[in-house]
Structure formats: C-alpha cells, structure tokens
Amino acid sequence: MTGELTQGRIVIVGASLAGLRAAETLRAEGFGGELTLVGDEPHPPYDRPPLSKQVLLGRVAAADAGLPARRPVDAHWKLGVRASGVDPVTKEVLLADGGRLPYDRLLIATGTRARPWPNPEEARLDGVLTVRTMEDAAGLAERLDAGPRRVLVIGAGFTGSEIASACRERGLAVTVAERGPAPLVGALGGTLGAFAARLQRAHGVHLRCGVTVTSLLGSGGRLTGAEFSDGTRIEADVAVVALGAVRNTEWLADSGLAAGPRGLACDAGCRAFTMYGIVTDDVFVAGDVARFPHPLFEYQMLSLEHWGNAVEQAEVAAHNMVSPGPRRRPHLAVPAFWSSQFGLNIKSVGVPTFSDQVTIAQGSVEEGRLVVVYGYRGRVTAAVSVNRAKWLEHYRRLIETAAPFPPAPGAADRPEAPRVVPSDVPDPKVLSHGPTVALTGHLPDRRLAVVRPAG
Amino acid sequence: MQIVVDLNRCQGYAQCVFLAPRVFELHGEEALRYAPAPPDDQAERVRRAAAACPVQAILVGDRAGAESGKGAAADDR
C-alpha cells in the first residue's frame, strides 16, 4: 500500500510557498514517482512578505526575494503556464496552452491574487497599482523612487498599512482611505484598530476612515487624484489598490470540486470535497486557496492568508498524499501571522476574528507595547502582541487548551484594572480591506447567514 | 545563497543582528528585516547567525526552483 503511494504521478498546481514546501515534503517522505509543478507566474517560488516591506523601501530588489530550498525536489517545472481546469474522471490537469497533465494525485495550491480596482478604465490609468507579485512590488518601488507628490493607498488592511508605512519611512506624503472605522479592524477588531489609527496619524499618514474612493481621476491616461464618497478630492500621482485578495478558484468551476469565492473546501487532512460534499481521496489542497475545518474554532471553515499556514498545511497535505489512511495527520496548527509597520512588530496567534470580547492582558496602548487577548464565549481564542513577541507562546498554549477567558492575571506588566470590552470585529462587508482570516462557515449569532422563516 | 526567516518563530533575540549586521537588522525594538539574497562575502556570517538563532527561525539554502531553468525575471519586464 505504502509502496504504491510513494510511486506514480503527482501534479502540484501552484508554484509558490505552499507548492514548493509540499514538493519538498513529498520527496522527504519518500515519494519516488514523477512530480510536476505548474505555476502561472514565470518565476520559481518566491517570498511575498518582503514585497510590501524591504522591497518598497528600496533596500532589497524584488528579484532577490526568492525562497531557499530545503532539499532538491527533482520535479518538472511548468512555469508561466496557467492551469485552466481539472478533469476528475480522466484525472488530468488541463493547461491554458492546450496541454494535459495526467495525475494519480493532485495538490491544488493556487493561492490568491490582488483584488483589482472595480472600474477597469480607471484601473488602467498610469499610476494605479496593486501589490501581490514580484513585478508589482518592483513597479511600485520604482514609482516611489521617482518621488511622487502624494501616494493614495486604498484599503487599510495589513498590506495597505505596510505600504503606507514604507511611504512614510521614505518621507512621502500618503493618504490612506478605508471604508471601515479603522485600519486593521477587519483582522484585529476595535481595540487594536483604534490603536492602529492613532499610530498611522502619529506617523503623519493622512488617514481617512469611513469613506470610500468613488473614482480615480486621470488626465491623458495618467492618474491625477481621487474623489471620495463625501465629495472631497485629493491629488495623487500613485494609487495603490489594497482591497484584499481574491482566491484563485475560477479555473476549478467545471471540476466538480467544492470551489468558490471563499476557497476550495477540504477536510482536516487537506483532502478536497466535491460540490456534493463528498471527500475525494486523490485531490488535496493547501495554502491560501484552502478552506478547512479547525477543531479549536468549533470546526468553523477557515481560509487563512498566512505564510505559516501555507507551510504547515503544505506539509500535512504532502504527508497525507503519500501515507495510508491510519498514518494520515490532521492540519491542526494554531494560525499565526506577523506584520511590521511604523516601527512596530505585530504578531498574532489564534483567530482574533473568532471572538466576542477582548482584554489588554499586558502593557498598554500608551506604552505602545501590549498583548491583547481575545475570547469567545468564555474561552481564549487568540492573542495579538505589539512589540511583545516573546509572550505569544504562553497565549498559544492557552488557546490550544481552551483556557478560560479572561486569562488569569500573572504577568508583571498587567494593567492594574484589566477591562474586558467587546472585540468589535466588523462585518467584512463594511470594510475596504478584506480580512486576512475569513470565517467562512455559518455562525448564526454572527449573522454570516440569515435564515428567513417562510410566511 | 538565499535565506528566509520564519517570522512567526522569531522573537527578536537579535543574535543574527550581532553576527551578520549587514544582512539582518531590527526595525524598532523587535521587527526583523533582512536581505533575502545576501552577498557571497556574508555567507559565513549568515551560517553562524542561523546556527546561533535561539528559536532556529533562519533557513539558509540554495535558491528554490533554480533547476527550473527560469530565473527571477522581475527586472526583465
């Protein structure tokens, strides 16, 4: 049995972080068959987090943001070729160039792309950009080098906020427009959203919340400015559209798999579901495109746009692709991510949006060093640190053991009178930026699904 | 040489900043910035930094996918 699983043909669609780590894990676990990686970008796998940070500061060339190999993968690389479909009956991946790749087992790791500006004509204006790929970041860095008079960032999620931070570090004037009440609020809730708003303003960002950009203005094909929903206008030479990510699932529309705008659904072992909710045993999913149930969060289906999740889920998926049933593992890692902006290190464990209350357990907003702990129905579900990274491991254990919320006092730097307040995670509909963790299941008390009784 | 730091794991001990200051630096108190493709003359320092990292967050290796025959062509647009 195991002998069969370590032979045959495996195709991985998606040649970024998850695809690469899966390929390496397959080989490390003894897969000796034929391995093919398909990627629509013309580059070997590269690392995206530096693209919105070091690269925009001009300290690192975008082309240098590669990934180190853990081991040789001995694979066929089909780069610069888009996969256009899957035929689950003949077990073939269809390629946009007309080719067909037969597989015995398939891993889907197609990730996400930047959500484009909704008006295509305005999106084509010279100076309107998104940041997702190596070319995007190189292009924006070049624009910033040219010293624009003002940069407009549309959407104040992590990417938008990091871009604004890089602009300010370069001394450039920047306006951030966010439809929600504060930056980062979609991922971190009200307490840290308010903190982020003060932080941005203290660093000279012209932050505008509660407004939308209704149109991008141009002259002679070049961006000249933008108009807001309250009728005001600003002038800008560069507009960065940071409206969150779109999952790359359209190519699976005719595959019969449970793929849609929220991702491709899979079980805890990374096996994809069909559209009928039946689990497959030859199609696996990992990384940003996956939507999977997590026992720590009431088996809610999660879609995580996290570097760490891409690595860990790829390792589990690859292990399960070459292991017989009883030896398969569930993907149970506690979600974690980081962001650095405006000189601060923000780190998160758990799922902050899976919360009803928060408390500042250590430090304070005034100090600029703090740990915010999130609870849902009386247990700890997440913690976010600002310049307090060494403490997160402690809170990770509390999350893993479903410890009671609010957490017991103990830290030397705890506030004298800790307050528990609502977590104020807004409905994603009101935000410009998408949340980087999407709770995609149905919690009736969150009104993610509205049931209307007949009559 | 290519490096990546698992910043979920990194806790800002800054051993790497002391050992290879041209490759690693702290932005503020604990946000680590690094050069993903350090120059060859830094290779020994980077290896020492990776070995000294208390949480073993630094991965050093050859650039992945180099055998694909495709270079990173961001400059060839």
Side-chain angles (χ1 to χ4, degrees):
Chain A
M1 178 76 188
T2 315
E4 282 169 36
L5 290 170
T6 54
Q7 294 303 320
R9 291 165 301 193
I10 290 182
V11 173
I12 299 176
V13 182
S16 192
L17 179 62
L20 171 68
R21 296 302 181 225
E24 291 168 343
T25 306
L26 287 170
R27 291 301 190 204
E29 299 214 6
F31 178 66
E34 200 177 309
L35 181 59
T36 305
L37 279 120
V38 181
D40 66 344
E41 291 190 60
H43 315 295
Y46 60 90
D47 204 32
R48 296 186 201 275
L51 299 183
S52 56
K53 307 176 185 75
Q54 298 100 304
V55 170
L56 295 188
L57 291 169
R59 298 181 181 211
V60 169
D64 282 346
L67 281 164
R70 286 179 177 173
R71 53 163 297 131
V73 293
D74 184 23
H76 305 291
W77 295 81
K78 294 191 85 68
L79 300 178
V81 182
R82 204 164 50 79
S84 56
V86 173
D87 185 330
V89 178
T90 60
K91 297 187 49 150
E92 288 175 309
V93 172
L94 316 179
L95 301 176
D97 66 7
R100 286 171 169 259
L101 286 176
Y103 64 82
D104 296 308
R105 274 148 293 154
L106 169 65
L107 177 68
I108 293 172
T110 43
T112 62
R113 62 183 184 274
R115 184 179 299 283
W117 182 246
N119 180 324
E121 206 172 305
E122 293 174 6
R124 276 196 297 273
L125 288 170
D126 185 40
V128 180
L129 308 150
T130 55
V131 179
R132 173 78 191 169
T133 67
M134 209 177 235
E135 286 86 353
D136 292 343
L140 179 56
E142 214 170 274
R143 301 262 175 184
L144 299 184
D145 281 342
R149 279 166 301 167
R150 179 169 293 278
V151 177
L152 168 64
V153 178
I154 308 171
F158 284 105
T159 306
S161 299
E162 288 176 3
I163 292 166
S165 171
C167 290
R168 288 306 301 143
E169 203 170 331
R170 279 169 166 261
L172 297 170
V174 58
T175 297
V176 173
E178 167 56 51
R179 183 157 64 152
L184 310 185
V185 68
L188 303 181
T191 299
L192 281 170
F195 173 76
R198 278 194 298 277
L199 178 69
Q200 293 206 3
R201 291 195 168 111
H203 280 81
V205 173
H206 176 225
L207 175 66
R208 303 213 51 199
C209 294
V211 295
T212 46
V213 174
T214 46
S215 60
L216 295 174
L217 311 170
S219 163
R222 285 189 63 87
L223 177 79
T224 56
E227 187 168 282
F228 295 97
S229 50
D230 60 1
T232 55
R233 288 183 173 206
I234 61 158
E235 289 183 4
D237 314 316
V238 175
V240 187
V241 178
L243 298 175
V246 182
R247 297 190 157 71
N248 291 321
T249 54
E250 293 86 348
W251 69 287
L252 296 169
D254 300 323
S255 65
L257 295 168
R262 295 160 161 192
L264 171 53
C266 63
D267 72 359
C270 311
R271 295 182 301 175
F273 285 116
T274 70
M275 58 194 270
Y276 301 117
I278 300 170
V279 76
T280 60
D281 209 32
D282 51 5
V283 183
F284 293 73
V285 200
D288 290 10
V289 76
R291 177 171 175 247
F292 64 97
H294 203 305
L296 279 177
F297 306 98
E298 300 183 355
Y299 292 95
Q300 166 109 234
M301 300 294 276
L302 300 180
S303 297
L304 304 177
E305 294 166 35
H306 298 164
W307 188 95
N309 184 64
V311 174
E312 286 156 349
Q313 200 170 18
E315 290 167 352
V316 173
H319 169 85
N320 290 348
M321 289 175 90
V322 292
S323 305
R327 290 182 189 269
R328 286 180 172 165
R329 293 203 312 252
H331 174 48
L332 298 179
V334 178
F337 66 87
W338 75 88
S339 170
S340 60
Q341 46 184 286
F342 304 103
L344 295 182
N345 189 29
I346 301 173
K347 295 184 75 167
S348 167
V349 291
V351 178
T353 51
F354 192 85
S355 62
D356 49 22
Q357 291 184 313
V358 300
T359 188
I360 295 176
Q362 291 180 240
S364 68
V365 164
E366 294 71 30
E367 250 184 284
R369 279 195 291 257
L370 65 158
V371 179
V372 177
V373 179
Y374 297 70
Y376 185 64
R377 293 182 175 168
R379 67 183 181 88
V380 176
T381 52
V384 176
S385 70
V386 178
N387 279 7
R388 273 282 180 271
K390 289 185 179 68
W391 283 98
L392 276 194
E393 227 164 85
H394 167 69
Y395 293 100
R396 178 195 303 269
R397 279 195 293 277
L398 297 187
I399 297 163
E400 282 172 337
T401 54
F405 177 91
D413 61 345
R414 68 180 183 275
E416 276 179 24
R419 288 198 312 138
V420 172
V421 299
S423 64
D424 286 337
V425 176
D427 186 325
K429 281 203 298 285
V430 306
L431 303 172
S432 294
H433 60 281
T436 46
V437 181
L439 301 172
T440 68
H442 298 277
L443 284 184
D445 63 327
R446 295 289 211 72
R447 286 171 292 158
L448 289 174
V450 180
V451 180
R452 292 184 199 281
Chain B
M1 172 184 266
Q2 197 75 44
I3 58 173
V4 72
V5 181
D6 182 343
L7 292 172
N8 281 324
R9 228 182 245 196
C10 173
Q11 296 185 4
Y13 286 99
Q15 294 301 305
C16 55
V17 179
F18 293 116
L19 290 166
R22 286 179 51 202
V23 178
F24 302 94
E25 60 166 352
L26 284 185
H27 181 219
E29 283 177 35
E30 60 168 48
L32 185 71
R33 281 183 185 161
Y34 61 94
D40 289 343
D41 64 1
Q42 294 294 304
E44 196 40 49
R45 286 174 172 273
V46 168
R47 280 195 196 93
R48 257 183 280 162
C53 175
V55 291
Q56 291 293 292
I58 304 169
L59 177 65
V60 182
D62 293 329
R63 189 166 186 152
E67 73 277 16
S68 67
K70 303 250 185 182
D75 295 333
D76 308 342
R77 276 168 295 139

